[in-house]
Amino acid sequence: MKKPSTISNIVVAVLFVLIIVGYGILDIKPLVKTARSTFDDTTIGVQQKLRKIEQGMTESLPYRHLFIDFYGGVQKGLNKSLIGNFEFMKSSNGFMHMAVSDPDIRSFVDSIPTLKKVTDQLSIPLIYVQVPPRSICNTEKLGMNIANGEDVAIANAKEAITAQGISYLDLEQKMVEADYSPEKLFFKTDLHLTTEGEFFVAQEIVNVLKKQNIPLEQMDIDRVLDVKNYDIDSRPFLGNLSRSSGKYYSPLDVFDNYMPKFATDFSMTNHVSGERRTGSFEDVFMNNYKSSANITERTYWVTNYLQYTQSYYEFINHNKERNKLLVICDSMGMRTVPLLSLLANKVTVVDIRFQGERNYILDALKADKYDAVIILHENSLFKYRLIADIVENPNAEILSHNAPTTINRTDSHTINITVKNTSNDSWSEEKQVRLCIWQDGKDYGYRLKLPEGVEIAPGEEYTFQLNGFVAPPGESTYIEFQMLQEGITYFGEKERVDIKVIS
């Protein structure tokens, strides 16, 4: 690449400074108004005021995107490869990259044997699909720890996964074998896979499923994985890696929305939000972005598919009678999952990044019999525990408690419950072992947890504390205490206390 001359750099920089000065003069009134109203706010401290002013200034800038686009264009004119606060880098082939810390995979890897044990007990094949690190798109070695730690993390995860006898689909190796260019797999301006790339991923997953003797019909495979059988709606797309550099610094991508030309009939149930959808592929899988009045290249088209930020939902294909898949994934499968759903009767999605304290993987495995469990991601699941270690032969004895049998309606009580671990295994919050508080025979989800780092060995006792217990409406109630391992089982003694409410 021919570098711009020093004179050209100076000219571009001077123009940039002049525009910044002019832009600031034009915009001074709203900035002064924002600062004045914030400093008059007596409810927040000085540091909070400064952060609020900074945020308000950013959000109030008219034509903010135009400003960002111009800034990126100037950086491109100056031949800068780093942009932002040294957060983003552009490689010589135009691909944007983000600075990341080395992933800590210990929680993820430690939970793999437990998940394998559960799927083995249910006679369900467990398939691991590793999306290649984005660094395979580079034509030169990246510096400043921009994504370089991913390679080591992926290699360590592969060693741990294959040691458990789990089917490991190495997509990077498959790309080499198929002579599939890495530049087809990823967007230039976004972390995610292209629609074409997700077709490649879906095909490779189908190949593994066939090796597992899952009865996919070849006629369906040929139809679903042939792009000729889709209407394609293509949109200019500026991804999440270029939001601070604009559309001139790195070339815009094209996002392809694929809608099947053949008849489809689906339903979706979100087990967290309760949302339900029925209808065609487009009605159920897609979020109707193209009907928005505010469509621009900054529309985040990746999330036009599936239920982004939701942790547990499923799709039923009413045109298929067999094949059920549970897919544990991050956002790398946003279009792979819909493609697999065209081949199966049921596909359940669990995104553990958003599941919080629940364990929806176990919920899903209890709810139905699956033909395969698929883990699909690049690296964003590495910092999560897939499933808590299962306590062996869980049991518990309630030794004592001070729950009141009468309570004034205006009183607040602290209740101590001492429990002895009579299991053959230790308890900890890491294993999601908690004391469940039932009220009037129902588990409303109220839990008393062990402190982080505390482990209760077999034979040891622990006193849980329920603070701020007050009388419910009505003249009486009853509460019960019982231990549980979240998402797995209640266990041990269950103590009931009847309580009379005095007005």
Side-chain angles (χ1 to χ4, degrees):
M1 178 185 295
K2 184 179 180 181
K3 295 185 179 180
S5 66
T6 303
I7 295 177
S8 297
N9 287 349
I10 293 172
V11 170
V12 171
V14 169
L15 286 172
F16 180 58
V17 170
L18 290 174
I19 289 178
I20 290 292
V21 172
Y23 192 83
I25 292 172
L26 289 173
D27 200 47
I28 192 70
K29 289 183 179 180
L31 299 186
V32 170
K33 184 178 179 180
T34 297
R36 181 176 295 167
S37 63
T38 302
F39 271 112
D40 288 341
D41 188 350
T42 59
T43 64
I44 58 176
V46 174
Q47 289 187 343
Q48 290 174 296
K49 288 179 180 181
L50 292 174
R51 284 196 296 268
K52 187 174 180 181
I53 290 172
E54 181 182 2
Q55 181 181 0
M57 289 170 63
T58 302
E59 293 177 352
S60 66
L61 289 173
Y63 311 113
R64 181 164 61 98
H65 293 316
L66 182 62
F67 173 79
I68 293 173
D69 291 341
F70 178 79
Y71 165 74
V74 169
Q75 298 304 300
K76 182 178 180 180
L78 295 173
N79 202 38
K80 295 291 184 67
S81 60
L82 288 169
I83 200 163
N85 189 23
F86 301 104
E87 298 171 291
F88 301 96
M89 177 180 180
K90 182 176 68 174
S91 57
S92 60
N93 58 352
F95 277 81
M96 295 294 296
H97 302 272
M98 181 172 63
V100 295
S101 57
D102 293 350
D104 183 352
I105 67 171
R106 286 174 295 180
S107 293
F108 181 85
V109 166
D110 288 348
S111 65
I112 288 289
T114 304
L115 180 59
K116 180 64 162 56
K117 181 177 180 180
V118 171
T119 55
D120 282 350
Q121 289 173 345
L122 297 170
S123 300
I124 303 174
L126 179 58
I127 301 167
Y128 185 92
V129 184
Q130 181 63 65
V131 175
R134 186 176 177 81
S135 57
I136 65 170
C137 299
N138 303 332
T139 54
E140 71 273 4
K141 182 177 176 60
L142 296 176
M144 300 187 65
N145 201 31
I146 304 236
N148 290 328
E150 292 177 314
D151 294 336
V152 175
I154 288 173
N156 290 339
K158 180 177 181 178
E159 181 179 356
I161 290 161
T162 54
Q164 294 295 319
I166 297 170
S167 296
Y168 186 95
L169 174 54
D170 186 340
L171 288 172
E172 184 174 357
Q173 180 60 38
K174 293 297 181 183
M175 290 171 66
V176 172
E177 294 172 6
D179 195 24
Y180 189 86
S181 169
E183 297 189 8
K184 293 181 180 180
L185 192 69
F186 289 99
F187 291 112
K188 280 185 165 63
T189 66
D190 194 86
L191 283 169
H192 295 95
L193 306 179
T194 64
T195 306
E196 178 186 353
E198 296 217 39
F199 265 84
F200 177 83
V201 174
Q203 176 65 73
E204 293 302 328
I205 291 175
V206 165
N207 292 341
V208 175
L209 293 175
K210 289 166 67 176
K211 290 180 181 178
Q212 295 286 347
N213 296 318
I214 295 172
L216 300 171
E217 296 179 16
Q218 188 61 46
M219 184 180 299
D220 287 339
I221 295 171
D222 293 340
R223 179 178 64 171
V224 168
L225 297 180
D226 187 347
V227 295
K228 295 177 183 177
N229 294 320
Y230 294 82
D231 291 319
I232 302 175
D233 174 52
S234 299
R235 303 282 179 162
F237 175 54
L238 183 70
N240 52 15
L241 296 177
S242 292
R243 297 303 170 97
S244 63
S245 58
K247 62 183 180 181
Y248 301 126
Y249 183 70
S250 184
L252 281 175
D253 287 298
V254 174
F255 188 92
D256 292 327
N257 291 290
Y258 282 59
M259 285 78 71
K261 293 179 180 179
F262 48 90
T264 55
D265 182 12
F266 283 96
S267 59
M268 183 277 292
T269 300
N270 188 320
H271 293 293
V272 180
S273 70
E275 181 183 358
R276 296 176 183 273
R277 294 182 187 178
T278 59
S280 68
F281 179 95
E282 189 171 358
D283 296 329
V284 172
F285 285 97
M286 302 180 71
N287 297 309
N288 204 23
Y289 284 14
K290 67 179 182 180
S291 67
S292 170
N294 299 314
I295 292 177
T296 69
E297 62 272 1
R298 287 177 170 81
T299 299
Y300 203 53
W301 286 102
V302 171
T303 56
N304 193 27
Y305 290 78
L306 299 192
Q307 300 278 292
Y308 183 62
T309 74
Q310 297 297 309
S311 51
Y312 177 30
Y313 50 98
E314 66 186 28
F315 300 95
I316 302 295
N317 182 348
H318 298 289
N319 291 336
K320 298 291 294 180
E321 295 182 354
R322 61 184 182 182
N323 299 329
K324 296 180 180 181
L325 306 174
L326 170 58
V327 183
I328 304 164
C329 65
D330 58 8
S331 51
M332 289 294 168
M334 298 290 271
R335 282 144 291 156
T336 302
V337 167
L339 290 171
L340 294 176
S341 296
L342 289 165
L343 296 168
N345 168 253
K346 177 178 179 178
V347 174
T348 300
V349 178
V350 174
D351 190 334
I352 61 175
R353 297 174 301 164
F354 307 116
Q355 72 177 1
E357 296 177 351
R358 292 297 301 270
N359 199 316
Y360 291 122
I361 296 173
L362 287 172
D363 286 354
L365 290 172
K366 287 181 179 180
D368 210 339
K369 169 67 174 176
Y370 291 92
D371 295 295
V373 175
I374 302 168
I375 303 172
L376 167 64
H377 78 125
E378 182 190 14
N379 67 19
S380 64
L381 301 189
F382 279 150
K383 60 183 177 182
Y384 298 96
R385 181 173 291 274
L386 287 166
I387 187 173
D389 292 339
I390 297 175
V391 175
E392 297 293 335
N393 301 313
N395 207 352
E397 179 184 352
I398 297 176
L399 299 179
S400 65
H401 66 82
N402 63 342
T405 55
T406 60
I407 182 172
N408 288 317
R409 193 169 299 283
T410 57
D411 287 351
S412 174
H413 285 262
T414 296
I415 301 175
N416 296 313
I417 306 110
T418 300
V419 184
K420 182 177 180 179
N421 180 1
T422 56
S423 310
N424 295 335
D425 201 353
S426 61
W427 300 346
S428 66
E429 172 56 25
E430 188 177 57
K431 295 178 180 177
Q432 297 184 318
V433 176
R434 298 154 183 168
L435 182 65
C436 173
I437 307 297
W438 303 63
Q439 185 158 6
D440 295 329
K442 295 182 180 180
D443 176 6
Y444 291 104
Y446 198 86
R447 308 287 189 258
L448 300 180
K449 300 179 182 179
L450 294 166
E452 291 290 339
V454 170
E455 190 167 355
I456 310 302
E460 291 185 342
E461 303 170 8
Y462 183 82
T463 299
F464 294 90
Q465 191 171 81
L466 172 60
N467 296 309
F469 178 75
V470 295
E475 297 181 353
S476 64
T477 186
Y478 68 93
I479 58 175
E480 296 168 288
F481 323 124
Q482 188 178 25
M483 295 300 298
L484 87 163
Q485 186 170 25
E486 202 71 67
I488 299 175
T489 187
Y490 301 98
F491 63 87
E493 289 185 337
K494 188 176 184 180
E495 183 91 11
R496 170 171 170 160
V497 181
D498 292 286
I499 301 172
K500 182 178 179 180
V501 179
I502 301 175
S503 298

PDB file of all heavy atoms in Angstrom, residues 136-167:
ATOM      1  N   ILE A 136      -7.864 -15.509  11.804  1.00  0.00           N
ATOM      2  CA  ILE A 136      -7.519 -16.245  10.582  1.00  0.00           C
ATOM      3  C   ILE A 136      -7.737 -15.385   9.339  1.00  0.00           C
ATOM      4  O   ILE A 136      -7.285 -15.736   8.257  1.00  0.00           O
ATOM      5  CB  ILE A 136      -8.323 -17.551  10.445  1.00  0.00           C
ATOM      6  CG1 ILE A 136      -9.824 -17.279  10.261  1.00  0.00           C
ATOM      7  CG2 ILE A 136      -8.084 -18.467  11.620  1.00  0.00           C
ATOM      8  CD1 ILE A 136     -10.631 -18.498   9.892  1.00  0.00           C
ATOM      9  N   CYS A 137      -8.442 -14.247   9.497  1.00  0.00           N
ATOM     10  CA  CYS A 137      -8.667 -13.346   8.356  1.00  0.00           C
ATOM     11  C   CYS A 137      -7.470 -12.451   8.080  1.00  0.00           C
ATOM     12  O   CYS A 137      -7.458 -11.714   7.090  1.00  0.00           O
ATOM     13  CB  CYS A 137      -9.879 -12.447   8.623  1.00  0.00           C
ATOM     14  SG  CYS A 137     -11.417 -13.334   8.862  1.00  0.00           S
ATOM     15  N   ASN A 138      -6.453 -12.490   8.949  1.00  0.00           N
ATOM     16  CA  ASN A 138      -5.368 -11.523   8.850  1.00  0.00           C
ATOM     17  C   ASN A 138      -4.331 -11.918   7.810  1.00  0.00           C
ATOM     18  O   ASN A 138      -4.060 -13.087   7.593  1.00  0.00           O
ATOM     19  CB  ASN A 138      -4.660 -11.375  10.207  1.00  0.00           C
ATOM     20  CG  ASN A 138      -5.634 -10.976  11.292  1.00  0.00           C
ATOM     21  OD1 ASN A 138      -6.631 -10.336  11.021  1.00  0.00           O
ATOM     22  ND2 ASN A 138      -5.340 -11.381  12.506  1.00  0.00           N
ATOM     23  N   THR A 139      -3.755 -10.893   7.237  1.00  0.00           N
ATOM     24  CA  THR A 139      -2.626 -11.109   6.332  1.00  0.00           C
ATOM     25  C   THR A 139      -1.306 -10.781   7.013  1.00  0.00           C
ATOM     26  O   THR A 139      -0.258 -10.911   6.421  1.00  0.00           O
ATOM     27  CB  THR A 139      -2.774 -10.229   5.075  1.00  0.00           C
ATOM     28  OG1 THR A 139      -2.956  -8.858   5.487  1.00  0.00           O
ATOM     29  CG2 THR A 139      -3.973 -10.660   4.252  1.00  0.00           C
ATOM     30  N   GLU A 140      -1.371 -10.318   8.260  1.00  0.00           N
ATOM     31  CA  GLU A 140      -0.150 -10.046   9.012  1.00  0.00           C
ATOM     32  C   GLU A 140      -0.402 -10.348  10.479  1.00  0.00           C
ATOM     33  O   GLU A 140      -1.546 -10.462  10.910  1.00  0.00           O
ATOM     34  CB  GLU A 140       0.304  -8.586   8.857  1.00  0.00           C
ATOM     35  CG  GLU A 140      -0.576  -7.575   9.577  1.00  0.00           C
ATOM     36  CD  GLU A 140      -1.767  -7.115   8.741  1.00  0.00           C
ATOM     37  OE1 GLU A 140      -1.967  -7.630   7.635  1.00  0.00           O
ATOM     38  OE2 GLU A 140      -2.493  -6.250   9.219  1.00  0.00           O
ATOM     39  N   LYS A 141       0.652 -10.475  11.252  1.00  0.00           N
ATOM     40  CA  LYS A 141       0.520 -10.763  12.678  1.00  0.00           C
ATOM     41  C   LYS A 141       0.004  -9.524  13.389  1.00  0.00           C
ATOM     42  O   LYS A 141       0.493  -8.422  13.192  1.00  0.00           O
ATOM     43  CB  LYS A 141       1.873 -11.182  13.266  1.00  0.00           C
ATOM     44  CG  LYS A 141       1.802 -11.549  14.749  1.00  0.00           C
ATOM     45  CD  LYS A 141       3.152 -12.024  15.235  1.00  0.00           C
ATOM     46  CE  LYS A 141       3.133 -12.307  16.724  1.00  0.00           C
ATOM     47  NZ  LYS A 141       2.162 -13.337  17.086  1.00  0.00           N
ATOM     48  N   LEU A 142      -1.028  -9.717  14.225  1.00  0.00           N
ATOM     49  CA  LEU A 142      -1.573  -8.598  14.972  1.00  0.00           C
ATOM     50  C   LEU A 142      -0.766  -8.376  16.243  1.00  0.00           C
ATOM     51  O   LEU A 142      -0.304  -9.318  16.875  1.00  0.00           O
ATOM     52  CB  LEU A 142      -3.035  -8.862  15.338  1.00  0.00           C
ATOM     53  CG  LEU A 142      -3.992  -8.979  14.152  1.00  0.00           C
ATOM     54  CD1 LEU A 142      -5.378  -9.332  14.649  1.00  0.00           C
ATOM     55  CD2 LEU A 142      -4.031  -7.697  13.349  1.00  0.00           C
ATOM     56  N   GLY A 143      -0.644  -7.122  16.628  1.00  0.00           N
ATOM     57  CA  GLY A 143       0.061  -6.787  17.852  1.00  0.00           C
ATOM     58  C   GLY A 143      -0.889  -6.290  18.917  1.00  0.00           C
ATOM     59  O   GLY A 143      -2.101  -6.327  18.774  1.00  0.00           O
ATOM     60  N   MET A 144      -0.342  -5.814  20.029  1.00  0.00           N
ATOM     61  CA  MET A 144      -1.093  -5.194  21.122  1.00  0.00           C
ATOM     62  C   MET A 144      -2.199  -6.103  21.648  1.00  0.00           C
ATOM     63  O   MET A 144      -3.273  -5.653  22.022  1.00  0.00           O
ATOM     64  CB  MET A 144      -1.667  -3.850  20.673  1.00  0.00           C
ATOM     65  CG  MET A 144      -0.613  -2.851  20.251  1.00  0.00           C
ATOM     66  SD  MET A 144      -1.295  -1.234  19.919  1.00  0.00           S
ATOM     67  CE  MET A 144      -1.873  -0.789  21.551  1.00  0.00           C
ATOM     68  N   ASN A 145      -1.955  -7.390  21.674  1.00  0.00           N
ATOM     69  CA  ASN A 145      -2.917  -8.356  22.226  1.00  0.00           C
ATOM     70  C   ASN A 145      -4.289  -8.247  21.576  1.00  0.00           C
ATOM     71  O   ASN A 145      -5.321  -8.372  22.216  1.00  0.00           O
ATOM     72  CB  ASN A 145      -3.047  -8.190  23.747  1.00  0.00           C
ATOM     73  CG  ASN A 145      -3.602  -9.447  24.392  1.00  0.00           C
ATOM     74  OD1 ASN A 145      -3.366 -10.541  23.903  1.00  0.00           O
ATOM     75  ND2 ASN A 145      -4.329  -9.294  25.475  1.00  0.00           N
ATOM     76  N   ILE A 146      -4.309  -7.959  20.273  1.00  0.00           N
ATOM     77  CA  ILE A 146      -5.575  -7.905  19.548  1.00  0.00           C
ATOM     78  C   ILE A 146      -5.911  -9.322  19.123  1.00  0.00           C
ATOM     79  O   ILE A 146      -5.447  -9.812  18.109  1.00  0.00           O
ATOM     80  CB  ILE A 146      -5.486  -6.971  18.335  1.00  0.00           C
ATOM     81  CG1 ILE A 146      -5.043  -5.605  18.781  1.00  0.00           C
ATOM     82  CG2 ILE A 146      -6.765  -6.964  17.561  1.00  0.00           C
ATOM     83  CD1 ILE A 146      -5.872  -4.445  18.458  1.00  0.00           C
ATOM     84  N   ALA A 147      -6.716  -9.999  19.943  1.00  0.00           N
ATOM     85  CA  ALA A 147      -7.268 -11.322  19.635  1.00  0.00           C
ATOM     86  C   ALA A 147      -6.227 -12.443  19.589  1.00  0.00           C
ATOM     87  O   ALA A 147      -6.563 -13.555  19.224  1.00  0.00           O
ATOM     88  CB  ALA A 147      -8.036 -11.289  18.314  1.00  0.00           C
ATOM     89  N   ASN A 148      -4.977 -12.160  19.965  1.00  0.00           N
ATOM     90  CA  ASN A 148      -3.986 -13.219  19.848  1.00  0.00           C
ATOM     91  C   ASN A 148      -4.145 -14.313  20.903  1.00  0.00           C
ATOM     92  O   ASN A 148      -3.693 -15.432  20.719  1.00  0.00           O
ATOM     93  CB  ASN A 148      -2.570 -12.615  19.953  1.00  0.00           C
ATOM     94  CG  ASN A 148      -2.232 -11.783  18.736  1.00  0.00           C
ATOM     95  OD1 ASN A 148      -2.684 -12.089  17.640  1.00  0.00           O
ATOM     96  ND2 ASN A 148      -1.466 -10.721  18.920  1.00  0.00           N
ATOM     97  N   GLY A 149      -4.780 -14.004  22.029  1.00  0.00           N
ATOM     98  CA  GLY A 149      -4.955 -14.993  23.084  1.00  0.00           C
ATOM     99  C   GLY A 149      -5.984 -16.054  22.752  1.00  0.00           C
ATOM    100  O   GLY A 149      -6.042 -17.092  23.421  1.00  0.00           O
ATOM    101  N   GLU A 150      -6.812 -15.810  21.746  1.00  0.00           N
ATOM    102  CA  GLU A 150      -7.856 -16.767  21.387  1.00  0.00           C
ATOM    103  C   GLU A 150      -7.273 -18.103  20.948  1.00  0.00           C
ATOM    104  O   GLU A 150      -7.828 -19.165  21.265  1.00  0.00           O
ATOM    105  CB  GLU A 150      -8.731 -16.205  20.267  1.00  0.00           C
ATOM    106  CG  GLU A 150      -9.573 -15.024  20.670  1.00  0.00           C
ATOM    107  CD  GLU A 150     -10.355 -14.486  19.493  1.00  0.00           C
ATOM    108  OE1 GLU A 150      -9.758 -14.324  18.418  1.00  0.00           O
ATOM    109  OE2 GLU A 150     -11.559 -14.244  19.656  1.00  0.00           O
ATOM    110  N   ASP A 151      -6.196 -18.074  20.197  1.00  0.00           N
ATOM    111  CA  ASP A 151      -5.623 -19.307  19.671  1.00  0.00           C
ATOM    112  C   ASP A 151      -5.240 -20.271  20.790  1.00  0.00           C
ATOM    113  O   ASP A 151      -5.519 -21.477  20.710  1.00  0.00           O
ATOM    114  CB  ASP A 151      -4.384 -18.998  18.812  1.00  0.00           C
ATOM    115  CG  ASP A 151      -4.729 -18.226  17.552  1.00  0.00           C
ATOM    116  OD1 ASP A 151      -5.882 -18.329  17.111  1.00  0.00           O
ATOM    117  OD2 ASP A 151      -3.859 -17.519  17.033  1.00  0.00           O
ATOM    118  N   VAL A 152      -4.617 -19.742  21.831  1.00  0.00           N
ATOM    119  CA  VAL A 152      -4.192 -20.581  22.950  1.00  0.00           C
ATOM    120  C   VAL A 152      -5.419 -21.126  23.682  1.00  0.00           C
ATOM    121  O   VAL A 152      -5.470 -22.313  24.033  1.00  0.00           O
ATOM    122  CB  VAL A 152      -3.304 -19.774  23.917  1.00  0.00           C
ATOM    123  CG1 VAL A 152      -2.962 -20.603  25.153  1.00  0.00           C
ATOM    124  CG2 VAL A 152      -2.031 -19.328  23.210  1.00  0.00           C
ATOM    125  N   ALA A 153      -6.416 -20.265  23.913  1.00  0.00           N
ATOM    126  CA  ALA A 153      -7.621 -20.700  24.619  1.00  0.00           C
ATOM    127  C   ALA A 153      -8.337 -21.801  23.852  1.00  0.00           C
ATOM    128  O   ALA A 153      -8.778 -22.801  24.428  1.00  0.00           O
ATOM    129  CB  ALA A 153      -8.555 -19.507  24.832  1.00  0.00           C
ATOM    130  N   ILE A 154      -8.448 -21.630  22.544  1.00  0.00           N
ATOM    131  CA  ILE A 154      -9.131 -22.627  21.717  1.00  0.00           C
ATOM    132  C   ILE A 154      -8.364 -23.946  21.727  1.00  0.00           C
ATOM    133  O   ILE A 154      -8.949 -25.032  21.825  1.00  0.00           O
ATOM    134  CB  ILE A 154      -9.311 -22.094  20.285  1.00  0.00           C
ATOM    135  CG1 ILE A 154     -10.376 -20.994  20.275  1.00  0.00           C
ATOM    136  CG2 ILE A 154      -9.696 -23.206  19.322  1.00  0.00           C
ATOM    137  CD1 ILE A 154     -10.518 -20.273  18.950  1.00  0.00           C
ATOM    138  N   ALA A 155      -7.040 -23.873  21.653  1.00  0.00           N
ATOM    139  CA  ALA A 155      -6.226 -25.095  21.677  1.00  0.00           C
ATOM    140  C   ALA A 155      -6.383 -25.833  23.010  1.00  0.00           C
ATOM    141  O   ALA A 155      -6.513 -27.062  23.041  1.00  0.00           O
ATOM    142  CB  ALA A 155      -4.763 -24.742  21.431  1.00  0.00           C
ATOM    143  N   ASN A 156      -6.402 -25.086  24.120  1.00  0.00           N
ATOM    144  CA  ASN A 156      -6.560 -25.713  25.437  1.00  0.00           C
ATOM    145  C   ASN A 156      -7.952 -26.321  25.595  1.00  0.00           C
ATOM    146  O   ASN A 156      -8.109 -27.404  26.175  1.00  0.00           O
ATOM    147  CB  ASN A 156      -6.308 -24.692  26.536  1.00  0.00           C
ATOM    148  CG  ASN A 156      -4.849 -24.273  26.628  1.00  0.00           C
ATOM    149  OD1 ASN A 156      -3.964 -24.992  26.166  1.00  0.00           O
ATOM    150  ND2 ASN A 156      -4.590 -23.112  27.203  1.00  0.00           N
ATOM    151  N   ALA A 157      -8.960 -25.619  25.083  1.00  0.00           N
ATOM    152  CA  ALA A 157     -10.318 -26.154  25.154  1.00  0.00           C
ATOM    153  C   ALA A 157     -10.444 -27.426  24.321  1.00  0.00           C
ATOM    154  O   ALA A 157     -11.080 -28.399  24.741  1.00  0.00           O
ATOM    155  CB  ALA A 157     -11.314 -25.105  24.679  1.00  0.00           C
ATOM    156  N   LYS A 158      -9.821 -27.430  23.155  1.00  0.00           N
ATOM    157  CA  LYS A 158      -9.875 -28.612  22.293  1.00  0.00           C
ATOM    158  C   LYS A 158      -9.271 -29.816  23.000  1.00  0.00           C
ATOM    159  O   LYS A 158      -9.824 -30.927  22.949  1.00  0.00           O
ATOM    160  CB  LYS A 158      -9.137 -28.352  20.980  1.00  0.00           C
ATOM    161  CG  LYS A 158      -9.149 -29.543  20.037  1.00  0.00           C
ATOM    162  CD  LYS A 158      -8.465 -29.222  18.715  1.00  0.00           C
ATOM    163  CE  LYS A 158      -8.527 -30.429  17.779  1.00  0.00           C
ATOM    164  NZ  LYS A 158      -7.898 -30.136  16.461  1.00  0.00           N
ATOM    165  N   GLU A 159      -8.147 -29.611  23.664  1.00  0.00           N
ATOM    166  CA  GLU A 159      -7.488 -30.712  24.366  1.00  0.00           C
ATOM    167  C   GLU A 159      -8.407 -31.285  25.446  1.00  0.00           C
ATOM    168  O   GLU A 159      -8.535 -32.506  25.604  1.00  0.00           O
ATOM    169  CB  GLU A 159      -6.184 -30.218  24.993  1.00  0.00           C
ATOM    170  CG  GLU A 159      -5.406 -31.291  25.723  1.00  0.00           C
ATOM    171  CD  GLU A 159      -4.112 -30.774  26.313  1.00  0.00           C
ATOM    172  OE1 GLU A 159      -3.782 -29.588  26.097  1.00  0.00           O
ATOM    173  OE2 GLU A 159      -3.411 -31.552  27.009  1.00  0.00           O
ATOM    174  N   ALA A 160      -9.067 -30.382  26.209  1.00  0.00           N
ATOM    175  CA  ALA A 160      -9.947 -30.834  27.291  1.00  0.00           C
ATOM    176  C   ALA A 160     -11.194 -31.530  26.751  1.00  0.00           C
ATOM    177  O   ALA A 160     -11.656 -32.520  27.320  1.00  0.00           O
ATOM    178  CB  ALA A 160     -10.345 -29.636  28.155  1.00  0.00           C
ATOM    179  N   ILE A 161     -11.719 -31.028  25.651  1.00  0.00           N
ATOM    180  CA  ILE A 161     -12.962 -31.575  25.094  1.00  0.00           C
ATOM    181  C   ILE A 161     -12.722 -32.935  24.451  1.00  0.00           C
ATOM    182  O   ILE A 161     -13.474 -33.890  24.669  1.00  0.00           O
ATOM    183  CB  ILE A 161     -13.563 -30.574  24.090  1.00  0.00           C
ATOM    184  CG1 ILE A 161     -14.091 -29.350  24.850  1.00  0.00           C
ATOM    185  CG2 ILE A 161     -14.667 -31.208  23.251  1.00  0.00           C
ATOM    186  CD1 ILE A 161     -14.284 -28.136  23.997  1.00  0.00           C
ATOM    187  N   THR A 162     -11.685 -33.038  23.663  1.00  0.00           N
ATOM    188  CA  THR A 162     -11.405 -34.318  23.004  1.00  0.00           C
ATOM    189  C   THR A 162     -10.996 -35.387  24.016  1.00  0.00           C
ATOM    190  O   THR A 162     -11.224 -36.578  23.796  1.00  0.00           O
ATOM    191  CB  THR A 162     -10.308 -34.157  21.938  1.00  0.00           C
ATOM    192  OG1 THR A 162      -9.149 -33.544  22.528  1.00  0.00           O
ATOM    193  CG2 THR A 162     -10.794 -33.286  20.790  1.00  0.00           C
ATOM    194  N   ALA A 163     -10.416 -34.956  25.151  1.00  0.00           N
ATOM    195  CA  ALA A 163     -10.049 -35.925  26.196  1.00  0.00           C
ATOM    196  C   ALA A 163     -11.285 -36.592  26.791  1.00  0.00           C
ATOM    197  O   ALA A 163     -11.189 -37.693  27.342  1.00  0.00           O
ATOM    198  CB  ALA A 163      -9.257 -35.224  27.299  1.00  0.00           C
ATOM    199  N   GLN A 164     -12.426 -35.950  26.675  1.00  0.00           N
ATOM    200  CA  GLN A 164     -13.678 -36.512  27.174  1.00  0.00           C
ATOM    201  C   GLN A 164     -14.389 -37.378  26.128  1.00  0.00           C
ATOM    202  O   GLN A 164     -15.481 -37.886  26.383  1.00  0.00           O
ATOM    203  CB  GLN A 164     -14.622 -35.384  27.613  1.00  0.00           C
ATOM    204  CG  GLN A 164     -14.130 -34.582  28.803  1.00  0.00           C
ATOM    205  CD  GLN A 164     -14.057 -35.421  30.053  1.00  0.00           C
ATOM    206  OE1 GLN A 164     -14.928 -36.237  30.327  1.00  0.00           O
ATOM    207  NE2 GLN A 164     -12.992 -35.227  30.824  1.00  0.00           N
ATOM    208  N   GLY A 165     -13.784 -37.533  24.966  1.00  0.00           N
ATOM    209  CA  GLY A 165     -14.390 -38.336  23.912  1.00  0.00           C
ATOM    210  C   GLY A 165     -15.559 -37.648  23.236  1.00  0.00           C
ATOM    211  O   GLY A 165     -16.435 -38.306  22.652  1.00  0.00           O
ATOM    212  N   ILE A 166     -15.583 -36.324  23.262  1.00  0.00           N
ATOM    213  CA  ILE A 166     -16.663 -35.553  22.645  1.00  0.00           C
ATOM    214  C   ILE A 166     -16.336 -35.303  21.181  1.00  0.00           C
ATOM    215  O   ILE A 166     -15.188 -34.988  20.833  1.00  0.00           O
ATOM    216  CB  ILE A 166     -16.855 -34.213  23.394  1.00  0.00           C
ATOM    217  CG1 ILE A 166     -17.276 -34.490  24.841  1.00  0.00           C
ATOM    218  CG2 ILE A 166     -17.886 -33.328  22.694  1.00  0.00           C
ATOM    219  CD1 ILE A 166     -17.251 -33.264  25.727  1.00  0.00           C
ATOM    220  N   SER A 167     -17.332 -35.428  20.308  1.00  0.00           N
ATOM    221  CA  SER A 167     -17.139 -35.128  18.880  1.00  0.00           C
ATOM    222  C   SER A 167     -16.770 -33.656  18.723  1.00  0.00           C
ATOM    223  O   SER A 167     -17.526 -32.771  19.142  1.00  0.00           O
ATOM    224  CB  SER A 167     -18.417 -35.431  18.100  1.00  0.00           C
ATOM    225  OG  SER A 167     -18.737 -36.796  18.144  1.00  0.00           O
TER     226      SER A 167
END
